[in-house]
């Protein structure tokens, strides 16, 4: 399962975002370090279900909208100097290690300062937070490389020393794969002699590793109270920025649970279906107005952007019966897998189960009913039958 981590300074709205996205009960409070231990839950990427091509819906989607599970991790708030240990920063940064992408929650209202302490709305510049998480992560990674560099230097005295191997051993411990490290080392110029490396060299390596293994998207949270100029200036930073209201999304999720509205996460509107009092109606109509302006609450867009754009993934549906699009017990399109773009049928087979992958024989495109080549690149919404010696 893909893993997305929520990061940002304290009191920016991470725990509210997490609660709304997972409907898990966590502490949400107006003070720094509400979260200490990372919360882990399941949210969903939203896509169009292939059953829209069938006469009837599959029963595993909501009117043709498919939600695919993704892990969501809510990491405690980070303060400037986190990479040096401020605010338990090293512990919190370490919790980002296994995330595939990071959603940086920014308080677009300017109502909290750099430490996450409440100030008057509009008095703090949220643009200051744009590069904050990137810088802290890169400095933290550079610090880990620096702290272990003497070991690399000692190893270099061996006649069979290979710097690439030594760096791979070091960096796989911070969430980078061997493939990622090899790709970065091909693009970064560096001396083969570790004794000649400077702090700038180590920071350049750490930056390249972070960019490849921890891409970041910005969520301009609290758009409901943010000055318009703040949202405009954040959008002009050149970063992927999505305005959002975690409070608004949470209110809609709770109202849906209570039977007051019909709402599918990611929709641009909702329907009132229950009895609401005047206060509830006013609150919901304010959310509706925001959704009309921004095309939704922004939360589902942020998750989808991270999964499908930042991480370049696609959704593929394995079936056993290519004619009926069912599994062995007749369930229509029961499973959906998120795979990197460029994945092949064999990659899908391994994603289903290692035994299926090892016994892979061939695959059939259930939409065209044709056998496809082993090196065929799968596409978003493909329905695939895997033929394998494994059962």
């Amino acid at each position: 399962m893909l893993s997305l981590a929520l990061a940002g300074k304290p009191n920016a709205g991470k725990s509210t975002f997490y609660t709304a996205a997972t409907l898990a009960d966590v502490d949400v409070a107006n003070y720094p370090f509400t979260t200490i231990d990372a919360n882990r839950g399941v949210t969903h990427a939203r896509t169009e279900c292939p059953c829209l091509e069938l006469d009837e819906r599959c029963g595993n989607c909501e009117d043709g909208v498919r939600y695919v599970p993704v892990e969501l991790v809510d990491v405690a708030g980070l303060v400037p100097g986190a990479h040096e240990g401020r605010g338990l920063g090293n512990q919190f940064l370490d919790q980002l290690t296994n995330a595939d992408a990071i959603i940086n929650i920014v308080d677009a209202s300017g109502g909290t300062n750099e430490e996450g302490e409440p100030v008057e709305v509009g008095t703090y510049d949220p643009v200051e937070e744009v590069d904050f998480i990137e810088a802290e992560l890169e400095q933290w990674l550079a610090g880990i490389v620096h702290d272990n560099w003497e070991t690399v230097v000692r190893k270099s005295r061996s006649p069979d020393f290979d710097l690439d191997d030594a760096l791979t051993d070091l960096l796989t411990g911070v969430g980078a794969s061997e493939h990622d490290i090899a790709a970065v080392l091909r693009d970064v110029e560096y001396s083969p002699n570790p004794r000649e490396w400077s702090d700038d060299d180590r920071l350049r390596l750490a930056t390249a590793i972070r960019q490849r293994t921890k891409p970041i998207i910005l969520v301009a949270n609290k758009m409901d109270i943010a000055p318009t100029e703040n949202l405009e200036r954040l959008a002009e930073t050149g970063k992927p920025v999505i305005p959002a209201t975690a409070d608004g999304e949470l209110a809609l999720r709770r109202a849906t649970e209570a039977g007051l509205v019909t709402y599918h996460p990611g929709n641009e509107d909702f329907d009132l279906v229950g009895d609401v009092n005047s206060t509830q109606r006013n609150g919901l109509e304010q959310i509706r107005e925001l959704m009309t302006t921004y095309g939704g609450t922004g939360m589902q867009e942020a998750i989808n952007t991270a999964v499908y754009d930042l991480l370049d993934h696609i959704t593929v549906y394995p079936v056993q019966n290519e004619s009926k699009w069912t599994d062995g017990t007749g369930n229509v399109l029961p499973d959906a897998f998120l795979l990197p773009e460029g994945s092949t049928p064999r990659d899908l087979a391994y994603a289903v189960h290692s035994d299926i992958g090892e016994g892979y024989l061939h695959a059939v495109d259930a939409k065209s009913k044709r056998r496809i080549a082993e090196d065929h690149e799968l596409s978003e919404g493909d329905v695939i039958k895997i033929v394998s010696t494994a059962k």
Side-chain angles (χ1 to χ4, degrees):
M1 186 182 295
L2 280 182
S3 181
L4 306 178
L6 302 176
K9 70 182 185 184
N11 209 19
K14 296 185 305 303
S15 292
T16 303
F17 188 111
Y18 176 86
T19 302
T22 64
L23 289 183
D25 292 325
V26 300
D27 290 332
V28 178
N30 191 33
Y31 56 83
F33 306 116
T34 306
T35 304
I36 298 298
D37 297 322
N39 297 304
R40 295 180 180 275
V42 176
T43 188
H44 298 83
R46 171 177 167 151
T47 190
E48 186 176 276
C49 188
C51 76
L52 290 171
E53 300 179 32
L54 303 176
D55 293 334
E56 298 181 1
R57 301 290 70 78
C58 65
N60 296 301
C61 65
E62 297 179 5
D63 299 326
V65 176
R66 188 77 176 224
Y67 291 98
V68 189
V70 178
E71 182 185 45
L72 189 65
V73 182
D74 175 25
V75 176
L78 296 166
V79 295
H83 67 278
E84 298 173 335
R86 284 199 67 230
L88 299 180
N90 287 325
Q91 172 187 328
F92 299 158
L93 286 165
D94 188 59
Q95 292 169 349
L96 299 174
T97 297
N98 294 319
D100 295 295
I102 295 171
I103 300 176
N104 180 10
I105 307 296
V106 173
D107 178 2
S109 77
T112 47
N113 64 19
E114 64 180 6
E115 302 286 338
E117 300 164 338
V119 297
E120 184 179 348
V121 168
T123 58
Y124 180 78
D125 185 0
V127 174
E128 296 292 330
E129 300 173 42
V130 168
D131 298 321
F132 167 53
I133 297 299
E134 291 181 8
E136 290 295 334
L137 265 172
E138 289 162 10
Q139 291 286 355
W140 174 69
L141 286 169
I144 291 174
V145 174
H146 179 274
D147 292 345
N148 289 275
W149 201 250
E150 187 56 38
T151 300
V152 175
V153 171
R154 285 198 302 270
K155 288 181 178 179
S156 70
R157 300 185 182 113
S158 171
D160 58 352
F161 172 76
D162 184 285
L163 181 55
D164 287 10
D165 289 343
L167 292 175
T168 299
D169 289 342
L170 172 57
L171 293 168
T172 49
V174 290
S177 69
E178 292 185 13
H179 175 74
D180 290 329
I181 297 166
V184 166
L185 293 178
R186 283 196 300 270
D187 295 335
V188 176
E189 292 185 8
Y190 59 93
S191 169
N193 184 353
R195 283 168 287 190
E196 296 178 357
W197 279 52
S198 65
D199 286 343
D200 287 343
D201 293 325
R202 286 183 280 269
L203 179 57
R204 188 164 59 251
L205 174 64
T207 299
I209 288 291
R210 198 283 306 161
Q211 290 174 340
R212 182 173 180 87
T213 64
K214 299 290 180 288
I216 297 175
I217 185 173
L218 294 172
V219 169
N221 193 31
K222 306 183 185 181
M223 69 180 184
D224 48 318
I225 59 172
T228 302
E229 57 268 25
N230 281 8
L231 295 172
E232 292 175 346
R233 290 174 60 247
L234 284 167
E236 293 169 355
T237 61
K239 307 281 187 179
V241 179
I242 297 175
T245 169
D247 280 337
E249 179 73 16
L250 181 57
L252 288 176
R253 297 285 187 109
R254 296 301 192 209
T256 301
E257 284 186 320
L260 301 179
V261 305
T262 298
Y263 170 68
H264 297 321
N267 281 5
E268 297 182 2
D269 200 356
F270 59 88
D271 294 318
L272 277 170
V273 294
D275 294 328
V276 296
N277 59 39
S278 60
T279 301
Q280 291 172 324
R281 182 180 295 275
N282 288 337
L284 288 168
E285 289 303 328
Q286 288 177 15
I287 295 172
R288 191 197 302 276
E289 185 176 340
L290 271 174
M291 294 173 72
T292 300
T293 301
Y294 292 98
T297 68
M299 279 193 42
Q300 189 64 57
E301 182 183 355
I303 293 168
N304 270 33
T305 299
V307 171
Y308 294 114
D309 297 336
L310 216 57
L311 294 174
D312 294 323
H313 273 56
I314 58 173
T315 320
V316 184
Y317 304 79
V319 296
Q320 292 187 39
N321 186 317
E322 70 272 30
S323 298
K324 299 181 178 180
W325 295 9
T326 59
D327 63 10
T329 56
N331 297 306
V332 180
L333 297 171
D335 300 309
F337 284 80
L338 289 168
L339 300 175
E341 285 187 3
S343 293
T344 65
R346 186 183 289 273
D347 294 325
L348 173 62
Y350 272 105
V352 173
H353 196 282
S354 58
D355 290 345
I356 302 293
E358 290 172 3
Y360 176 87
L361 296 175
H362 66 269
V364 177
D365 182 334
K367 293 183 178 181
S368 67
K369 306 300 187 293
R370 295 178 179 175
R371 183 183 293 197
I372 50 180
E374 184 177 338
D375 61 354
H376 173 80
E377 290 191 6
L378 300 174
S379 300
E380 172 66 28
D382 276 353
V383 180
I384 304 294
K385 174 183 178 178
I386 300 294
V387 180
S388 173
T389 57
K391 300 297 183 181

